[in-house]
Amino acid sequence: MASQRLKRGLRGAMAATAVAAAAVGVMPVPAGAQPNTPANASEALKKYNELAEQATKLNEEVLRAEEQRDANQAVLNEANAALAQATTAGEQARTDEENFRVQVDKLTEASFEGARFNQLSALLVSDSQQDFLNRMSALGVLAADNNEALGLLSGAVSAAEDARVKAAEAQGKAQAATDEAIRIADDIKKRQTELAGQITEVKDQLNRLTAQERNTLRSVGEVVNVTAPAGAAGEALRFALNQQGDMYRYGATGPDFWDCSGLTSKAYAEAGVTIPRTSGGQAGAGRAISRAEVGPGDLIIYNGGNHVAMAVDNGRVVHASTDGVPVKVVSLESPGSIYAMRRIAG
C-alpha cells in the first residue's frame, strides 16, 4: 500500500510540474525515436532522441536474442530427453537380442540333433500309433518355437538398430543445440555490451538538455482514467494505465520500471493472456486489425517492430517510451511509424 501511495504521489508531482511551453507541434516521422522530436527542437534534444532510438533498437535485439536462447534451451532439453530415451531403448533392445540369440542357438542345436526324427523315422521307431503322434507333435512344437524365437530375434535386432539411429540423430541435435547456445550466449553478451554503451550515451545526452527540455520529457502530463471494457483487453488496459508515471528502464518488466514490451506483456499477463516478451514478437500476436478497428487494449507496433504501445481508444495509446520519460498517454500516431496493429483479445 505504501508503494502504491508513493507511486500515486510521484504521478501527481509529475503532472503538477508539466511545463506549458512543452505544448509544441509534433510531426510524425518514420521510424522515429520515442518521443518524436519537435520540428523546433534543439540540437541536443534531436541528438538525445536519435541516441534513444538506437538504444531502443539494441534493447529489442537483446530481448530477441534472449528469447532465442530460451527457445534453443527447449530444443536442447528435448534432444537430450530423446537421447536418453533412445539410449535406454537401445540397451533394452541389445539385451533382448542377446537373450533371443541364445534361445535361437539352443533351438537350432536341438533341431539339428533331432533332424533324424522326420515323419518316416518317427513312424519306423514308434511303438504305437499314439507314440507316433506324440513324436510328430514334439517336432512341430520344436519348429514353431524356433520360428517364434527367430522372429523375436529379428525384431530385437531391428529395434536395436532403430534405437541406434535415433540416438545418433538425438546426439546430433543435442550437439547442434549446444553449439547454437554458445553462439547465442556470445551474441547476447556482445549486444548487452553495446546496449550498455548506448545507454550511457543517452544518459549523458539527457544531462546536456536544458532544464525545460528535461522537465518536458519527464512530465507525465494529464493522467488518463477511462472506463475500460470488460474482458482481458479491458483488464490489460487498466493495468497499463495504472502504471502512468512509472519511469522507463531498458529490459524492465515492473513493478515500477518498464520498457515498452515489458509493460504490454505484463499487462496482458495480469489479464491471464500470454503474449511474446518482445515488441517484434507482439507484432505477430493475436490478429491483425485495421486503423479504423483500433480499440481499447489493442497493441500498436511502431518503427519496424522496435516499439509497442497499447491503445486507450481509437486515438490514444499508453506506452513506456524511452529513458528519461515516464509511462504516459499520447496520441496514437505520436510514437512513430505504425508497423502493425494487433487485437490480442476480443
Side-chain angles (χ1 to χ4, degrees):
M1 294 295 294
S3 176
Q4 289 297 320
R5 287 196 298 270
L6 176 60
K7 183 180 286 190
R8 286 194 294 269
L10 287 172
R11 290 171 184 156
M14 289 177 182
T17 56
V19 179
V24 295
V26 176
M27 299 293 291
V29 294
Q34 290 75 42
N36 284 321
T37 307
N40 61 345
S42 69
E43 289 302 315
L45 182 56
K46 290 178 182 178
K47 182 64 174 177
Y48 162 79
N49 281 338
E50 177 186 339
L51 292 171
E53 179 184 359
Q54 294 170 6
T56 299
K57 184 174 183 294
L58 275 172
N59 182 59
E60 177 71 9
E61 289 176 356
V62 169
L63 294 175
R64 288 176 184 173
E66 289 174 343
E67 274 192 334
Q68 186 181 3
R69 175 197 59 198
D70 294 342
N72 181 263
Q73 185 61 50
V75 171
L76 178 57
N77 292 342
E78 182 180 345
N80 284 333
L83 176 58
Q85 183 178 5
T87 300
T88 300
E91 291 172 351
Q92 182 60 52
R94 283 189 290 273
T95 299
D96 292 342
E97 180 183 349
E98 183 60 30
N99 291 337
F100 293 142
R101 192 177 300 280
V102 170
Q103 184 179 355
V104 167
D105 289 344
K106 288 181 177 179
L107 289 169
T108 301
E109 182 180 354
S111 297
F112 177 77
E113 290 178 351
R116 63 182 178 276
F117 292 108
N118 54 29
Q119 291 184 7
L120 178 59
S121 61
L123 177 61
L124 292 174
V125 300
S126 295
D127 295 330
S128 66
Q129 184 178 13
Q130 186 59 49
D131 186 30
F132 169 74
L133 292 176
N134 290 341
R135 290 175 184 273
M136 289 302 298
S137 177
L139 287 171
V141 169
L142 187 63
D145 285 348
N146 201 28
N147 286 336
E148 181 182 1
L150 283 169
L152 291 172
L153 174 59
S154 177
V157 171
S158 296
E161 177 61 20
D162 183 60
R164 186 193 66 76
V165 171
K166 288 182 177 178
E169 290 177 350
Q171 181 66 51
K173 289 180 180 179
Q175 185 59 56
T178 299
D179 294 342
E180 180 69 2
I182 294 173
R183 187 196 67 77
I184 293 172
D186 290 342
D187 185 50
I188 290 175
K189 183 177 180 180
K190 175 185 175 183
R191 292 182 188 279
Q192 285 176 331
T193 300
E194 292 174 352
L195 176 59
Q198 191 68 41
I199 291 173
T200 298
E201 287 191 52
V202 171
K203 292 185 181 299
D204 288 345
Q205 190 63 31
L206 183 62
N207 291 331
R208 294 189 178 98
L209 302 181
T210 65
Q212 180 178 330
E213 288 172 330
R214 285 196 297 273
N215 286 337
T216 298
L217 289 173
R218 292 170 179 166
S219 170
V220 72
E222 179 185 356
V223 176
V224 174
N225 291 299
V226 299
T227 302
E235 190 172 344
L237 176 58
R238 280 192 292 274
F239 180 90
L241 288 174
N242 284 340
Q243 313 316 311
Q244 290 176 88
D246 285 356
M247 295 304 292
Y248 182 97
R249 179 179 291 170
Y250 297 99
T253 57
D256 298 313
F257 295 90
W258 310 90
D259 68 9
C260 64
S261 55
L263 175 61
T264 50
S265 61
K266 185 60 180 292
Y268 266 104
E270 289 293 312
V273 179
T274 300
I275 61 175
R277 166 66 178 89
T278 64
S279 56
Q282 291 174 22
R287 64 181 177 87
I289 56 174
S290 68
R291 175 66 183 83
E293 294 177 285
V294 171
D298 291 336
L299 297 185
I300 313 300
I301 295 87
Y302 300 88
N303 306 333
N306 290 322
H307 186 65
V308 63
M310 182 178 293
V312 175
D313 47 39
N314 190 255
R316 297 176 296 176
V317 294
V318 56
H319 71 151
S321 179
T322 194
D323 197 38
V325 182
V327 174
K328 65 172 69 177
V329 173
V330 298
S331 68
L332 191 143
E333 285 77 16
S334 176
S337 175
I338 295 176
Y339 177 72
M341 294 170 286
R342 311 294 296 189
R343 177 152 297 163
I344 305 302

mmCIF file of all heavy atoms in Angstrom, residues 119-137:
data_model
loop_
_atom_site.group_PDB
_atom_site.id
_atom_site.type_symbol
_atom_site.label_atom_id
_atom_site.label_comp_id
_atom_site.label_asym_id
_atom_site.label_seq_id
_atom_site.Cartn_x
_atom_site.Cartn_y
_atom_site.Cartn_z
ATOM 1 N N GLN A 119 9.133 -87.546 -40.464
ATOM 2 C CA GLN A 119 7.895 -88.315 -40.423
ATOM 3 C C GLN A 119 8.139 -89.821 -40.588
ATOM 4 O O GLN A 119 7.548 -90.649 -39.887
ATOM 5 C CB GLN A 119 6.942 -87.820 -41.522
ATOM 6 C CG GLN A 119 6.395 -86.425 -41.251
ATOM 7 C CD GLN A 119 5.386 -85.998 -42.299
ATOM 8 O OE1 GLN A 119 5.010 -86.799 -43.162
ATOM 9 N NE2 GLN A 119 4.954 -84.751 -42.210
ATOM 10 N N LEU A 120 9.051 -90.174 -41.523
ATOM 11 C CA LEU A 120 9.295 -91.598 -41.779
ATOM 12 C C LEU A 120 9.970 -92.252 -40.583
ATOM 13 O O LEU A 120 9.554 -93.319 -40.112
ATOM 14 C CB LEU A 120 10.164 -91.773 -43.032
ATOM 15 C CG LEU A 120 10.546 -93.221 -43.383
ATOM 16 C CD1 LEU A 120 9.272 -94.077 -43.610
ATOM 17 C CD2 LEU A 120 11.445 -93.257 -44.617
ATOM 18 N N SER A 121 11.045 -91.603 -40.072
ATOM 19 C CA SER A 121 11.766 -92.202 -38.950
ATOM 20 C C SER A 121 10.884 -92.278 -37.715
ATOM 21 O O SER A 121 10.956 -93.223 -36.933
ATOM 22 C CB SER A 121 13.044 -91.419 -38.652
ATOM 23 O OG SER A 121 12.722 -90.089 -38.304
ATOM 24 N N ALA A 122 10.044 -91.252 -37.534
ATOM 25 C CA ALA A 122 9.129 -91.277 -36.404
ATOM 26 C C ALA A 122 8.180 -92.461 -36.496
ATOM 27 O O ALA A 122 7.863 -93.115 -35.490
ATOM 28 C CB ALA A 122 8.347 -89.966 -36.347
ATOM 29 N N LEU A 123 7.736 -92.769 -37.711
ATOM 30 C CA LEU A 123 6.832 -93.902 -37.915
ATOM 31 C C LEU A 123 7.541 -95.228 -37.650
ATOM 32 O O LEU A 123 6.989 -96.128 -36.998
ATOM 33 C CB LEU A 123 6.286 -93.870 -39.339
ATOM 34 C CG LEU A 123 5.360 -95.033 -39.758
ATOM 35 C CD1 LEU A 123 4.111 -95.060 -38.867
ATOM 36 C CD2 LEU A 123 4.970 -94.907 -41.214
ATOM 37 N N LEU A 124 8.804 -95.314 -38.125
ATOM 38 C CA LEU A 124 9.523 -96.573 -38.007
ATOM 39 C C LEU A 124 9.889 -96.899 -36.568
ATOM 40 O O LEU A 124 9.927 -98.077 -36.175
ATOM 41 C CB LEU A 124 10.793 -96.536 -38.860
ATOM 42 C CG LEU A 124 10.571 -96.507 -40.393
ATOM 43 C CD1 LEU A 124 11.882 -96.330 -41.116
ATOM 44 C CD2 LEU A 124 9.843 -97.776 -40.857
ATOM 45 N N VAL A 125 10.194 -95.913 -35.763
ATOM 46 C CA VAL A 125 10.655 -96.180 -34.403
ATOM 47 C C VAL A 125 9.535 -96.104 -33.376
ATOM 48 O O VAL A 125 9.739 -96.379 -32.202
ATOM 49 C CB VAL A 125 11.783 -95.199 -34.006
ATOM 50 C CG1 VAL A 125 12.961 -95.330 -34.949
ATOM 51 C CG2 VAL A 125 11.259 -93.757 -33.949
ATOM 52 N N SER A 126 8.373 -95.701 -33.810
ATOM 53 C CA SER A 126 7.268 -95.574 -32.865
ATOM 54 C C SER A 126 6.765 -96.941 -32.451
ATOM 55 O O SER A 126 6.656 -97.870 -33.264
ATOM 56 C CB SER A 126 6.115 -94.788 -33.510
ATOM 57 O OG SER A 126 6.514 -93.465 -33.763
ATOM 58 N N ASP A 127 6.438 -97.065 -31.160
ATOM 59 C CA ASP A 127 5.926 -98.325 -30.624
ATOM 60 C C ASP A 127 4.440 -98.480 -30.880
ATOM 61 O O ASP A 127 3.908 -99.597 -30.874
ATOM 62 C CB ASP A 127 6.177 -98.401 -29.114
ATOM 63 C CG ASP A 127 7.672 -98.435 -28.800
ATOM 64 O OD1 ASP A 127 8.424 -98.958 -29.632
ATOM 65 O OD2 ASP A 127 8.064 -97.912 -27.732
ATOM 66 N N SER A 128 3.794 -97.326 -31.075
ATOM 67 C CA SER A 128 2.351 -97.370 -31.287
ATOM 68 C C SER A 128 1.913 -96.148 -32.077
ATOM 69 O O SER A 128 2.706 -95.218 -32.325
ATOM 70 C CB SER A 128 1.632 -97.407 -29.939
ATOM 71 O OG SER A 128 1.866 -96.173 -29.250
ATOM 72 N N GLN A 129 0.660 -96.154 -32.415
ATOM 73 C CA GLN A 129 0.113 -95.000 -33.142
ATOM 74 C C GLN A 129 0.200 -93.745 -32.285
ATOM 75 O O GLN A 129 0.537 -92.667 -32.776
ATOM 76 C CB GLN A 129 -1.343 -95.301 -33.522
ATOM 77 C CG GLN A 129 -1.967 -94.186 -34.369
ATOM 78 C CD GLN A 129 -3.392 -94.498 -34.784
ATOM 79 O OE1 GLN A 129 -4.010 -95.436 -34.244
ATOM 80 N NE2 GLN A 129 -3.924 -93.768 -35.720
ATOM 81 N N GLN A 130 -0.113 -93.888 -30.989
ATOM 82 C CA GLN A 130 -0.063 -92.734 -30.089
ATOM 83 C C GLN A 130 1.362 -92.225 -29.944
ATOM 84 O O GLN A 130 1.597 -91.014 -29.901
ATOM 85 C CB GLN A 130 -0.611 -93.119 -28.720
ATOM 86 C CG GLN A 130 -0.736 -91.930 -27.742
ATOM 87 C CD GLN A 130 -1.640 -90.828 -28.274
ATOM 88 O OE1 GLN A 130 -2.761 -91.117 -28.720
ATOM 89 N NE2 GLN A 130 -1.171 -89.602 -28.253
ATOM 90 N N ASP A 131 2.325 -93.150 -29.876
ATOM 91 C CA ASP A 131 3.734 -92.752 -29.782
ATOM 92 C C ASP A 131 4.147 -91.962 -31.016
ATOM 93 O O ASP A 131 4.872 -90.958 -30.931
ATOM 94 C CB ASP A 131 4.609 -93.995 -29.617
ATOM 95 C CG ASP A 131 6.072 -93.633 -29.356
ATOM 96 O OD1 ASP A 131 6.316 -92.544 -28.757
ATOM 97 O OD2 ASP A 131 6.967 -94.400 -29.759
ATOM 98 N N PHE A 132 3.677 -92.394 -32.179
ATOM 99 C CA PHE A 132 3.978 -91.677 -33.434
ATOM 100 C C PHE A 132 3.420 -90.254 -33.386
ATOM 101 O O PHE A 132 4.089 -89.287 -33.750
ATOM 102 C CB PHE A 132 3.382 -92.463 -34.610
ATOM 103 C CG PHE A 132 3.414 -91.685 -35.904
ATOM 104 C CD1 PHE A 132 4.603 -91.492 -36.595
ATOM 105 C CD2 PHE A 132 2.236 -91.134 -36.423
ATOM 106 C CE1 PHE A 132 4.619 -90.777 -37.780
ATOM 107 C CE2 PHE A 132 2.267 -90.418 -37.600
ATOM 108 C CZ PHE A 132 3.459 -90.235 -38.286
ATOM 109 N N LEU A 133 2.172 -90.121 -32.926
ATOM 110 C CA LEU A 133 1.546 -88.787 -32.852
ATOM 111 C C LEU A 133 2.285 -87.877 -31.865
ATOM 112 O O LEU A 133 2.450 -86.694 -32.111
ATOM 113 C CB LEU A 133 0.079 -88.939 -32.438
ATOM 114 C CG LEU A 133 -0.837 -89.613 -33.473
ATOM 115 C CD1 LEU A 133 -2.237 -89.801 -32.898
ATOM 116 C CD2 LEU A 133 -0.902 -88.797 -34.754
ATOM 117 N N ASN A 134 2.727 -88.472 -30.771
ATOM 118 C CA ASN A 134 3.477 -87.679 -29.790
ATOM 119 C C ASN A 134 4.786 -87.161 -30.361
ATOM 120 O O ASN A 134 5.182 -86.011 -30.140
ATOM 121 C CB ASN A 134 3.756 -88.511 -28.540
ATOM 122 C CG ASN A 134 2.493 -88.787 -27.736
ATOM 123 O OD1 ASN A 134 1.492 -88.097 -27.886
ATOM 124 N ND2 ASN A 134 2.534 -89.828 -26.893
ATOM 125 N N ARG A 135 5.480 -88.065 -31.106
ATOM 126 C CA ARG A 135 6.759 -87.659 -31.723
ATOM 127 C C ARG A 135 6.536 -86.563 -32.764
ATOM 128 O O ARG A 135 7.308 -85.608 -32.847
ATOM 129 C CB ARG A 135 7.449 -88.870 -32.348
ATOM 130 C CG ARG A 135 7.981 -89.877 -31.348
ATOM 131 C CD ARG A 135 8.532 -91.107 -32.044
ATOM 132 N NE ARG A 135 8.966 -92.120 -31.087
ATOM 133 C CZ ARG A 135 10.165 -92.168 -30.529
ATOM 134 N NH1 ARG A 135 11.058 -91.239 -30.826
ATOM 135 N NH2 ARG A 135 10.470 -93.127 -29.669
ATOM 136 N N MET A 136 5.491 -86.706 -33.564
ATOM 137 C CA MET A 136 5.204 -85.698 -34.587
ATOM 138 C C MET A 136 4.849 -84.349 -33.942
ATOM 139 O O MET A 136 5.234 -83.292 -34.414
ATOM 140 C CB MET A 136 4.041 -86.171 -35.469
ATOM 141 C CG MET A 136 4.408 -87.331 -36.392
ATOM 142 S SD MET A 136 5.787 -86.895 -37.491
ATOM 143 C CE MET A 136 5.069 -85.565 -38.407
ATOM 144 N N SER A 137 4.107 -84.400 -32.841
ATOM 145 C CA SER A 137 3.745 -83.170 -32.133
ATOM 146 C C SER A 137 4.977 -82.477 -31.577
ATOM 147 O O SER A 137 5.105 -81.253 -31.644
ATOM 148 C CB SER A 137 2.771 -83.495 -31.003
ATOM 149 O OG SER A 137 2.453 -82.329 -30.263
#
